[in-house]
Amino acid sequence: MKKQPQKLNLKGKKITVIGGGLIGASWASLFLTQGMNVAISDPKPDIQEYFYGKLDSNIADLKKLGYKIDPNYKSHLSFETDTATAVKGADYIQENGPENAAFKQDLWQLIEANAPEHALFLSSSSGITVSQQATKMKNPSRLLIGHPFNPPHLIPLVEILIGKETADSQKLIDAAMDFYHSLGKVPVLLHKETPGFVANRLQAAIFRECVSLVSAGVVNVKELDDIMTASLGIRWAVGGPFVSFHLGGGDGGFPFFLHHLGPGMEGIWKDEISKPVSYDEKTTQLLDQQVKEHYGNKTIAQLSEERDEYQIALMNTFSKMK
Amino acid sequence: MKKQPQKLNLKGKKITVIGGGLIGASWASLFLTQGMNVAISDPKPDIQEYFYGKLDSNIADLKKLGYKIDPNYKSHLSFETDTATAVKGADYIQENGPENAAFKQDLWQLIEANAPEHALFLSSSSGITVSQQATKMKNPSRLLIGHPFNPPHLIPLVEILIGKETADSQKLIDAAMDFYHSLGKVPVLLHKETPGFVANRLQAAIFRECVSLVSAGVVNVKELDDIMTASLGIRWAVGGPFVSFHLGGGDGGFPFFLHHLGPGMEGIWKDEISKPVSYDEKTTQLLDQQVKEHYGNKTIAQLSEERDEYQIALMNTFSKMK
């Protein structure tokens, strides 16, 4: 029986954020909304300047999403380049270092030697599994993946993975689920390690076909994006593919869908995977040129701002309905 | 230079809806919002009972979406089993007959012989191309596909396809684009015929990986749906895959994304397409059983109502922002 995640009071708890870049700054902003004491550990000399440049807009987003934030939140923030010092007294550690297995192995060894016994070790890695990261740890089962979807302060999903299964695993999983749930996130435990985890694998699968259709000249990148937002996107914002097909089958539900539309879909699968797709030079040029042609009239900053405005409005609409 | 679609005044125009089932009834409800005269042509003896059973809830949905509807809308509705009679005087014909090429070939031959010269011929088919449907027509270039995404009265996308390109094609495309645009839809012209068109191909591509991940035990169907709604779904409701990656690349935009994340994605593609996926008996049983386990506590009607409520709220939120 799966335990329902519980809301923890995180006020005054210490979290060390390893790496204060885009992901780390986004996580840190979210942690500050709970009154946590956030220590940023990053060796880059200009880290504070970069970090504060992101912080204000992240906090503004979070306020729009309804998070209540202590006006003195900046006083709960500290910077410490030395990792061993940064993890002293930490209750949680969220790691966002370079995606390099050797780096992470040394890092966790150092953290394990200096952090308290009870601290929860969480890695944001999107690709380096727990087993690969924990090779130098005395107790490798202490480490979990808590992989966010970019940007972590906005998008609810956190994919949770463990490495070696031990007697303590369920306790650690529950602690991680409770932690992310308390931050307003949607943590989902993956039961097996797989390259790319789940969300990025789904994204890769559909994007292969996007690239294939654009390369074949069926639609351009803008037309494909319009098709997505006008159909599947708004559908999957409301319900995932399985429940959507369950309801698409009418009164017969999912079994009806599978029986009647399954064979046709298998035919499309064969056609799709038989077509070679790669980011060769020709494809790269075509995609770059089309993205520039159709989206180049606005800056990345303008487009991002528009996106986030719609994103936040959507999330607020749904959270009011729950 | 692509023409911007124009709003037409459809009031008093006649449209013949061939087939009054789920899709036909949904289309008809939408047409009624514009004050069109809607003739339903369907040989089924209980068609009126079925049709009126759907109409009220469709009209209720459309009102929630902000469509203004003449209270006497039912007086604009007629039923005519004989197709030749039903298409007399029609300005538009939207065909939703069985997905059977031979049936559609005879149908369009009959329609062409009886409908006015100016009438626009539109097929809702999701798989039988214009070329396949128009074999018995004197002027095959008169026929277009206007393929909706279910249910047509709610979901904005209409995929437009033509068959043989002729001197008149652009005029016909413009007329179809204007027509669907006037109904509040998002029509997108596909430049080439491809099995499944675009939205269903994208759906098939991602669903192959969904089935693969559930079969491998990485997540169950409910966990996969939760991952979708908590990440990619809400993303793609706001912007399609190309603009999402353009913004995911930070200041470097799409070229940066492609350069840095492209190779990793190619690796996932190889892994994904190397794994066989089919709706064999074992897979079918597993999926049916999991859908029943995780969604079986509510009826299809309850789940559909919840879905549509969220769907409509999302669409209203976005349309207010535009």
Side-chain angles (χ1 to χ4, degrees):
Chain A
M1 184 70 195
K2 214 157 77 175
K3 175 180 160 295
Q4 285 297 316
Q6 306 199 338
K7 288 264 178 204
L8 308 173
N9 183 358
L10 297 171
K11 198 168 174 168
K13 297 280 181 188
K14 175 174 175 181
I15 185 158
T16 305
V17 175
I18 310 283
L22 193 66
I23 303 295
S26 178
W27 271 132
S29 312
L30 186 67
F31 301 148
L32 287 168
T33 65
Q34 305 302 307
M36 298 183 84
N37 294 317
V38 180
I40 310 293
S41 179
D42 194 312
K44 279 191 280 309
D46 59 347
I47 186 64
Q48 295 203 29
E49 197 187 331
Y50 176 87
F51 185 92
Y52 281 113
K54 297 285 170 195
L55 186 63
D56 289 342
S57 99
N58 290 350
I59 294 287
D61 287 343
L62 288 161
K63 281 183 182 167
K64 286 183 203 152
L65 276 176
Y67 283 86
K68 285 185 185 41
I69 299 161
D70 176 354
N72 295 320
Y73 68 87
K74 284 183 187 166
S75 69
H76 296 278
L77 198 55
S78 63
F79 292 85
E80 174 53 62
T81 46
D82 180 59
T83 307
T85 311
V87 301
K88 290 265 187 272
D91 302 291
Y92 298 92
I93 288 149
Q94 182 81 43
E95 179 272 332
N96 318 278
E99 287 289 72
N100 173 322
F103 173 88
K104 289 188 199 280
Q105 287 158 7
D106 290 342
L107 181 73
W108 288 117
Q109 185 181 32
L110 180 72
I111 291 173
E112 191 182 34
N114 289 281
E117 280 287 320
H118 73 277
L120 199 58
F121 295 170
L122 302 158
S123 167
S124 298
S125 176
S126 63
I128 307 177
T129 61
V130 172
S131 329
Q132 289 168 318
Q133 292 189 43
T135 52
K136 295 187 180 170
M137 290 177 74
K138 283 185 196 148
N139 177 6
S141 75
R142 276 188 78 179
L143 179 61
L144 283 82
I145 299 257
H147 172 237
F149 200 82
N150 195 36
H153 72 284
L154 272 189
I155 303 292
L157 178 66
V158 184
E159 292 174 314
I160 310 285
L161 284 106
I162 60 164
K164 241 188 270 279
E165 186 101 32
T166 67
D168 272 352
S169 291
Q170 193 57 49
K171 214 182 81 189
L172 289 165
I173 291 167
D174 289 346
M177 299 290 272
D178 288 348
F179 174 61
Y180 291 118
H181 177 70
S182 304
L183 294 160
K185 300 280 107 181
V186 175
V188 178
L189 176 70
L190 312 192
H191 306 291
K192 283 181 187 168
E193 287 183 342
T194 183
F197 308 151
V198 170
N200 280 340
R201 284 182 77 89
L202 297 179
Q203 182 160 249
I206 209 167
F207 204 61
R208 185 180 184 278
E209 184 58 20
C210 295
V211 174
S212 180
L213 287 164
V214 170
S215 297
V218 177
V219 281
N220 65 39
V221 300
K222 177 65 165 58
E223 290 159 344
L224 193 138
D225 280 352
D226 288 345
I227 285 172
M228 178 61 92
T229 51
S231 61
L232 297 163
I234 55 172
R235 237 335 159 226
W236 290 334
V238 171
F242 285 102
V243 73
S244 292
F245 280 136
H246 183 42
L247 304 183
D251 294 337
F254 192 81
F256 180 91
F257 150 77
L258 215 51
H259 186 72
H260 287 263
L261 299 179
M265 190 184 279
E266 285 181 321
I268 297 177
W269 287 349
K270 271 190 201 128
D271 186 49
E272 290 182 333
I273 67 172
S274 74
K275 292 189 172 147
V277 182
S278 81
Y279 292 125
D280 57 20
E281 208 181 312
K282 197 180 147 197
T283 306
T284 301
Q285 271 183 1
L286 177 77
L287 299 178
D288 281 350
Q289 176 265 319
Q290 285 200 7
V291 169
K292 195 176 167 194
E293 181 186 341
H294 294 284
Y295 293 109
N297 60 333
K298 291 186 183 176
T299 64
I300 303 271
Q302 285 171 321
L303 289 167
S304 298
E305 202 176 309
E306 283 174 24
R307 177 195 65 181
D308 291 346
E309 206 181 311
Y310 277 78
Q311 195 73 83
I312 288 167
L314 184 164
M315 292 169 70
N316 282 338
T317 299
F318 286 179
S319 62
K320 266 180 224 142
M321 293 172 76
K322 262 162 199 154
Chain B
M1 184 69 196
K2 215 159 76 175
K3 175 181 161 294
Q4 285 298 315
Q6 306 199 338
K7 287 265 178 202
L8 308 172
N9 182 358
L10 297 171
K11 197 169 175 169
K13 296 280 182 188
K14 176 175 174 180
I15 184 158
T16 304
V17 175
I18 309 283
L22 192 67
I23 304 295
S26 177
W27 270 131
S29 313
L30 186 67
F31 300 149
L32 288 168
T33 64
Q34 305 302 306
M36 297 184 85
N37 294 317
V38 180
I40 310 293
S41 180
D42 194 311
K44 281 192 280 309
D46 59 346
I47 185 65
Q48 294 202 32
E49 197 187 331
Y50 176 85
F51 185 91
Y52 281 112
K54 298 285 170 195
L55 186 63
D56 288 342
S57 99
N58 289 351
I59 293 287
D61 287 344
L62 287 161
K63 281 182 183 168
K64 285 183 206 154
L65 275 175
Y67 283 88
K68 287 185 185 43
I69 298 161
D70 176 353
N72 294 320
Y73 67 89
K74 283 184 187 167
S75 68
H76 296 279
L77 197 56
S78 63
F79 292 85
E80 173 53 60
T81 46
D82 181 61
T83 307
T85 311
V87 301
K88 290 266 187 270
D91 301 292
Y92 298 92
I93 288 149
Q94 182 81 44
E95 180 273 330
N96 317 279
E99 287 289 73
N100 171 323
F103 173 89
K104 289 190 199 281
Q105 287 159 7
D106 290 343
L107 180 74
W108 287 118
Q109 186 181 31
L110 181 71
I111 291 173
E112 190 181 35
N114 290 280
E117 279 288 320
H118 74 276
L120 199 59
F121 295 171
L122 302 158
S123 167
S124 298
S125 177
S126 64
I128 307 178
T129 61
V130 171
S131 329
Q132 290 168 316
Q133 292 189 44
T135 52
K136 294 187 180 172
M137 289 176 75
K138 284 184 194 149
N139 177 6
S141 76
R142 276 188 77 180
L143 179 61
L144 283 83
I145 298 256
H147 172 237
F149 199 84
N150 196 35
H153 72 284
L154 272 188
I155 302 292
L157 177 67
V158 184
E159 292 174 313
I160 311 284
L161 284 106
I162 60 166
K164 241 189 271 281
E165 187 102 33
T166 68
D168 272 352
S169 291
Q170 193 56 51
K171 214 181 80 190
L172 289 164
I173 291 167
D174 288 346
M177 299 290 272
D178 287 349
F179 175 60
Y180 291 118
H181 177 69
S182 304
L183 294 160
K185 301 279 107 181
V186 176
V188 179
L189 177 70
L190 312 193
H191 306 291
K192 282 180 187 170
E193 288 182 342
T194 183
F197 309 151
V198 171
N200 281 339
R201 284 182 77 88
L202 297 179
Q203 182 161 247
I206 209 167
F207 204 61
R208 185 181 184 279
E209 183 58 21
C210 294
V211 174
S212 179
L213 287 163
V214 169
S215 298
V218 177
V219 280
N220 66 39
V221 300
K222 177 65 165 58
E223 290 159 345
L224 192 137
D225 280 352
D226 288 345
I227 285 172
M228 178 60 92
T229 51
S231 60
L232 297 162
I234 55 173
R235 236 337 160 220
W236 290 334
V238 171
F242 285 102
V243 73
S244 293
F245 280 136
H246 184 41
L247 305 183
D251 295 338
F254 192 80
F256 180 89
F257 150 76
L258 215 51
H259 186 72
H260 287 262
L261 299 179
M265 191 185 279
E266 285 181 321
I268 296 178
W269 288 347
K270 271 188 201 128
D271 185 49
E272 289 182 332
I273 68 173
S274 74
K275 292 190 172 147
V277 183
S278 81
Y279 291 125
D280 57 20
E281 208 181 310
K282 196 181 148 197
T283 306
T284 302
Q285 272 184 0
L286 177 78
L287 299 179
D288 282 349
Q289 176 264 318
Q290 285 199 7
V291 169
K292 194 175 167 192
E293 180 186 343
H294 294 284
Y295 294 109
N297 61 332
K298 291 185 184 177
T299 65
I300 302 272
Q302 285 171 321
L303 289 167
S304 298
E305 203 176 308
E306 282 174 24
R307 175 195 66 183
D308 291 346
E309 205 180 312
Y310 277 78
Q311 194 73 83
I312 289 167
L314 182 163
M315 292 168 70
N316 281 339
T317 299
F318 286 178
S319 61
K320 264 179 227 144
M321 293 172 76
K322 263 165 198 152

